[in-house]
Amino acid sequence: LHAPFRLESGSHQNPMAPLALRTGRWHKWRPMGTHPRSSRLPPMEGWIAAVALAVRVVFLGCFSLSPFFEPIPGGNDRSLYDSVAQAVAAGHGFPHGVFEYMPLYPWFLGALYRLCGPNLYAAGLAGALLDSATVFLIVRLARRLSAPPLLAALAGLWYALYPLAIAYSAVTMPNTLNAFLLTLFTLLLCRWWH
């Protein structure tokens, strides 16, 4: 029931005592496997999520200079989600077309447009942040499923550097939100199950 403990100094103390008095001074106890300075460092998944965010922001900056950054009106799914999100931002909760595909993303994007205006760069930044959160959750999920730290880190890095995930995070498409919600649901299900 108790975690194994190790002395900071001295090795002949009772391991179940929270403090020990020996040679005129107190000895503090800490759980085995921890380092006094380890709490100062961000968790591994934080570093990997930061890498994912940096890659996505660089890609967004480059892609925003391309003529393909602006969706072609009526030409593809990106333009549909963008136009429906603008209608949601204008106060139409259920505009025409909102249920033709996936309704949650137009509402998410419409709320963002309500705050920032119909700004594709802001939508791309929101996608980059959301996808970086997905990377964070992937590493947590892998650790929750008892993956060794190296494999959990590789799983997070794989998604962080996956070209399609990087590209979809920069455009007005629901893939990024779907990946985040699916990963979050799976992690919560694993926590509930165990």
Side-chain angles (χ1 to χ4, degrees):
L1 296 176
H2 298 279
F5 285 86
R6 177 188 299 158
L7 280 171
E8 291 290 345
S9 59
S11 59
H12 295 57
Q13 306 295 330
N14 176 3
M16 300 310 292
L19 293 171
L21 180 61
R22 189 173 182 85
T23 64
R25 60 194 183 113
W26 292 94
H27 295 266
K28 294 183 180 179
W29 300 82
R30 62 181 171 88
M32 289 184 70
T34 62
H35 191 275
R37 288 177 291 183
S38 62
S39 60
R40 298 180 191 172
L41 300 174
M44 169 182 61
E45 53 266 31
W47 290 109
I48 299 171
V51 169
L53 181 61
V55 169
R56 281 152 179 76
V57 168
V58 169
F59 176 81
L60 176 63
C62 295
F63 184 54
S64 66
L65 303 175
S66 164
F68 298 106
F69 184 64
E70 294 282 338
I72 301 169
N76 52 33
D77 289 350
R78 288 177 57 205
S79 61
L80 171 76
Y81 285 114
D82 181 59
S83 62
V84 173
Q86 290 186 40
V88 170
H92 306 290
F94 298 92
H96 175 71
V98 72
F99 287 112
E100 288 183 15
Y101 291 89
M102 300 174 186
L104 186 58
Y105 183 71
W107 288 334
F108 168 79
L109 191 59
L112 181 69
Y113 282 179
R114 184 81 180 211
L115 292 173
C116 307
N119 187 325
L120 292 174
Y121 197 82
L125 281 177
L129 288 169
L130 205 57
D131 223 24
S132 301
T134 303
V135 170
F136 185 92
L137 294 176
I138 286 172
V139 180
R140 280 283 173 96
L141 178 60
R143 295 294 291 137
R144 187 76 186 180
L145 295 173
S146 303
L150 179 60
L151 289 182
L154 287 175
L157 281 172
W158 178 81
Y159 188 79
L161 303 176
Y162 183 51
L164 280 179
I166 296 168
Y168 275 116
S169 71
V171 297
T172 52
M173 291 286 288
N175 304 60
T176 299
L177 181 62
N178 294 345
F180 172 77
L181 292 176
L182 180 62
T183 310
L184 178 62
F185 173 78
T186 307
L187 180 59
L188 293 175
L189 185 64
C190 288
R191 286 187 173 181
W192 172 80
W193 187 264
H194 294 291

